[in-house]
Amino acid sequence: MDFIQAPPQLGNQYDDDPLLQEYLSRVLPKDMLGSIERELHELGELGGITFFKRQLEDRLNEPTLTQFAPFGERIDQIELSPLWREAQRVAAERGLVALAYERRNGEHSRVHQFALNYLVQASLDVYSCPLAMTDGAARTLVELGNHELADRALPRLTSRDPSRMWTSGQWMTERIGGSDVGRSEAIARLGAGGWRLHGTKWFCSAATSEMALTLARPEGNKDGGRGLALFYVETRDPKGGMNGIQIHRLKDKMGTRKLPTAELRLDGTLAKPVAGLQDGVKNITFMLNITRTWNAFGAAWGMRRAVALVRDWARRREAFGARLADKPLFADTVAGIAAETEGAFHLAFRAAELLGRHEAGVATEQENRVARILTPLAKLTTGKQAVAVASEALECFGGAGVVEDTGLPLLLRDTHVLPIWEGTTDVLSLDALRALAADGTFQAFVYEVQSRLAMARDAALGSCVGSARSALDHASQWLSIHVAQRGLLEQGARRFAMTLGRTAELAYLVAHAQWCLDHGHGKRALAAARRFSQSGVDLINAAVDGEDSRLLA
Ligand code: MFK
């Protein structure tokens, strides 16, 4: 009889996730957790069973663009994949954006929102992208206090009615690139009916959105980011036609293929300034900081999915006379990716906690400073971890990991974008330096880490505390030596920022492990902290020579 291998499967993603359950018990008031537990269980079922199955069935469907009607009329219609159409409904009905704005659970509303997304998004084929931008647009309209636009768009962006809910795009990238946004070439002219935009937006995620926030330079403004203005655009005119927008083509990407990313031509697109006629880059950073937080969660749920599949596989697959789960080397490999996954989880959720406290108006000045630095650190650290974990996970499946109809290659392909969009690792490392240039921010970060480490009382956590403290001291020393030498500071910025991100992760792992020991939740969290602390926390290397880099590059 020929052998047939049983494929890896998932269970309810809430019931099967001790880390999420422990974490929510630790940070949420008991009555609140009780009131949302059913919802968590339902989302766990949707993520692990219902949509995981649909995702596999929907594997070959991709969005399509039809530019012309049969008799030549330009229509630029995008047809979404079936799973995306269902994701639209679930997102509205479950309040995957709305929860943060309804704020039924006060400062905990962001944790609530992201916990639900964490449970389901890995099965929704990156529908998280338009949701991230929708959330970012809503936040930006609130922060910038444009009441006219907020009154018009917020009820749509945060609606729970699928037929009313809008999503938003974030059109930033032009042909000149996605990082140095201040060089954008799009022009805004005051014309018939108001401001009209002209130019090409080169990489617009989720081009099906009903609105977008975008940047353009009002004619006559100076160069650079300050001369750009932030504009609000509705993609269709009142009759349902395109608002001076042509979709040139959908991007042919290696991953996130369900996401209709497009090149757009703006030709007289009617737009409204969101907050004056300059400082566009500064104004869109409200949006970026939200989408970067979503990005960190995208990494966390992607890693969690990879590890969940590998763990199931390890119980089903036998080689050399035993289940993989019982092989010491396989366990060692899985432990490595599991520890990285737990670290990323804590960093992302801490960013959500701070965001929730800020929005509820209860954050201290110290917490707001931590939030500013933690956002780029979370984005850059978890993005890199996610790619490494996804790659390792595919290897755990052997050849099956690269065979398309197993659905497994998606784990890596859809993850690979996480260190790229929303600012590359280098750009985010420079943003971390930008954040630290503000008075008191580094001190606030040090306090954040030290206070977590001070919670450790169990001797088994001693080595973890030691490695976190020594990484923090090294980072502090490195910063004080290099702060006045811009070239050297920039050269080492990625190793420095990754060290801060990994140190924060270790500190959160330690605090969580102590809580688990104190509350009868066993030693898994302790094991995660210990393994993580042995996997490279301090990445700063003062011996790296800039001249060597120049020669090699
Ligand atoms: C799973 C879900 C994933 C989510 C998917 C979403 C998909 C969306 C697809 C996309 O749109 S990807 C495109 C994303 N593009 C970027 O992320 C841009 C990357 N480049 C940067 O972030 C650069 O750092 C930046 C464009 C911001 C640099 O521009 P400038 O003009 O050199 O900035 P400058 O002069 O340093 O800063 C201007 C002001 O903004 C300063 O304030 P002041 O005027 O008061 O001095 C800065 O402090 C402030 N600023 C910059 N970055 C900030 C910030 N403030 C707060 N937070 C930040 N992050």
Side-chain angles (χ1 to χ4, degrees), residues 193-245:
W195 287 93
R196 291 193 177 267
L197 310 187
H198 302 265
T200 299
K201 296 289 173 181
W202 184 243
F203 221 100
C204 301
S205 291
T208 45
S209 294
E210 287 82 1
M211 62 157 280
L213 295 185
T214 191
L215 296 171
R217 196 175 311 280
E219 258 182 335
N221 267 22
K222 62 184 176 192
D223 289 346
R226 285 195 198 292
L228 292 169
L230 180 62
F231 284 94
Y232 164 94
V233 168
E234 287 181 14
T235 47
R236 302 222 162 236
D237 62 29
K239 290 186 188 150
M242 290 298 258
N243 174 16
I245 299 167

Side-chain angles (χ1 to χ4, degrees), residues 45 50 108 121 138 170 195 259 268 291-292 300 331 351 383 452 464 467 496-497 508 543:
E45 196 74 5
T50 316
H108 303 296
Q121 289 294 355
Q170 168 189 316
W195 287 93
L259 172 62
T291 48
R292 287 171 183 174
R452 294 304 178 292
C464 303
S467 39
F496 171 70
Y508 299 139

Side-chain angles (χ1 to χ4, degrees), residues 117-383:
N117 277 287
Y118 179 75
L119 287 167
V120 73
Q121 289 294 355
S123 296
L124 294 183
D125 279 341
V126 201
Y127 193 73
S128 50
C129 174
L131 296 183
M133 297 187 293
T134 302
D135 193 347
R139 186 81 243 132
T140 305
L141 295 177
V142 170
E143 291 279 356
L144 292 175
N146 185 322
H147 298 298
E148 184 204 335
L149 294 179
D151 287 350
R152 180 165 172 82
L154 268 178
R156 295 289 198 153
L157 298 173
T158 62
S159 173
R160 282 187 179 248
D161 175 353
S163 67
R164 277 185 57 76
M165 186 185 169
W166 283 0
T167 57
S168 176
Q170 168 189 316
W171 302 343
M172 292 180 73
T173 303
E174 297 196 4
R175 289 196 185 109
I176 49 94
S179 299
D180 190 0
V181 175
R183 292 171 64 206
S184 296
E185 295 175 322
I187 289 290
R189 287 194 191 109
L190 200 49
W195 287 93
R196 291 193 177 267
L197 310 187
H198 302 265
T200 299
K201 296 289 173 181
W202 184 243
F203 221 100
C204 301
S205 291
T208 45
S209 294
E210 287 82 1
M211 62 157 280
L213 295 185
T214 191
L215 296 171
R217 196 175 311 280
E219 258 182 335
N221 267 22
K222 62 184 176 192
D223 289 346
R226 285 195 198 292
L228 292 169
L230 180 62
F231 284 94
Y232 164 94
V233 168
E234 287 181 14
T235 47
R236 302 222 162 236
D237 62 29
K239 290 186 188 150
M242 290 298 258
N243 174 16
I245 299 167
Q246 285 190 344
I247 303 178
H248 281 338
R249 56 178 166 163
L250 296 181
K251 294 291 193 187
D252 187 6
K253 297 166 290 171
M254 81 173 249
T256 70
R257 293 187 66 88
K258 307 299 173 113
L259 172 62
T261 306
E263 276 172 46
L264 304 182
R265 179 78 197 155
L266 308 183
D267 194 6
T269 306
L270 201 56
K272 293 193 178 202
V274 179
L277 292 177
Q278 53 188 13
D279 287 329
V281 166
K282 185 179 166 73
N283 287 334
I284 207 165
T285 61
F286 290 109
M287 186 163 198
L288 290 182
N289 288 330
I290 296 289
T291 48
R292 287 171 183 174
T293 305
W294 276 78
N295 206 92
F297 274 97
W301 65 60
M303 293 159 82
R304 151 91 171 102
R305 170 57 48 92
V307 171
L309 288 168
V310 167
R311 283 194 178 128
D312 185 75
W313 174 250
R315 287 189 285 266
R316 293 172 192 277
R317 179 78 171 167
E318 285 185 15
F320 303 111
R323 296 182 321 158
L324 292 180
D326 299 323
K327 295 276 183 192
L329 179 53
F330 198 80
D332 183 76
T333 302
V334 179
I337 58 175
E340 293 297 312
T341 301
E342 297 212 4
F345 171 100
H346 288 297
L347 186 51
F349 269 102
R350 180 63 182 147
E353 287 169 34
L354 292 169
L355 178 60
R357 285 182 58 75
H358 170 75
E359 290 172 340
V362 297
T364 61
E365 203 41 51
Q366 144 89 17
E367 286 173 323
N368 285 334
R369 288 197 180 106
V370 174
R372 172 68 183 95
I373 178 67
L374 220 55
T375 306
L377 293 182
K379 196 281 184 187
L380 73 91
T381 309
T382 61

